[in-house]
Amino acid sequence: MAKPTPLKVSLNLAQADAIVDEALRLARKHGLQPLTVVVLDAGGHQIVAKREDGCGIMRVQVATAKAYGALGMGISSRELGEHVKGRELFGSSLSVISGGRFATVPGGVLIRDAGGNVIGAVGITGDVSAADEFAAIGGIRSVGLVSDPAEPSEGWNR
């Protein structure tokens, strides 16, 4: 029997691991609460998940929902929140459709390659959502990839 051919990946384990480590480094540097960070590939499959000591037991699911929802709709979880404002039935429907993996607060950031293609997403939870998003953006940038959104919310560190 022939050996299986490896699948081509756009976001590899080393990149995903480095994104998580930088996000956590930034969190410690800025005194954020303990974070949970999840990186998904473009198909919504988990590549890396790390949960700092002190995080609640549902944080992996929350971080995954931020990243998965962003991938599923093609916009950041911050933008998702704005998109479903006043359309609660639509937001609830998307949550049901995704099996509960849908969060509409900042912290779900798309990862794009240099050509603008979405190759994955980062989801972070543990601090206020704007700070979660800040750490995700910093992690993505640290490996030379493009974050979407490009900048954290103004006043993320208040």
Side-chain angles (χ1 to χ4, degrees):
M1 184 168 159
K3 287 185 178 179
T5 303
L7 299 174
K8 181 182 186 303
V9 296
S10 299
L11 180 63
N12 64 48
L13 177 60
Q15 289 171 306
D17 201 41
I19 288 169
V20 172
D21 288 345
E22 178 62 11
L24 294 175
R25 187 195 70 75
L26 286 169
R28 292 310 104 240
K29 177 181 175 183
H30 292 279
L32 303 185
Q33 294 294 314
L35 299 183
T36 297
V37 185
V38 172
V39 178
L40 305 179
D41 66 15
H45 304 284
Q46 181 179 299
I47 302 172
V48 175
K50 290 186 181 181
R51 183 177 53 87
E52 288 187 300
D53 296 344
C55 288
I57 62 171
M58 293 192 318
R59 292 296 184 173
V60 171
Q61 291 87 341
V62 173
T64 300
K66 288 181 177 187
Y68 194 86
L71 280 171
M73 294 301 290
I75 57 177
S76 72
S77 61
R78 180 190 346 156
E79 290 178 82
L80 279 173
E82 295 166 10
H83 189 66
V84 300
K85 216 175 264 179
R87 303 167 64 199
E88 288 75 20
L89 183 58
F90 178 61
S92 295
S93 296
L94 291 173
S95 184
V96 170
I97 290 165
S98 67
R101 295 176 296 177
F102 185 79
T104 58
V105 294
V109 178
L110 295 173
I111 304 169
R112 294 183 182 273
D113 64 17
N117 301 300
V118 173
I119 60 171
V122 176
I124 298 185
T125 184
D127 204 286
V128 296
S129 295
D132 297 342
E133 182 185 71
F134 161 78
I137 290 169
I140 293 165
R141 288 180 179 172
S142 74
V143 297
L145 294 169
V146 179
S147 67
D148 182 356
E151 299 294 331
S153 299
E154 253 185 68
W156 69 264
N157 58 348
R158 287 189 194 144

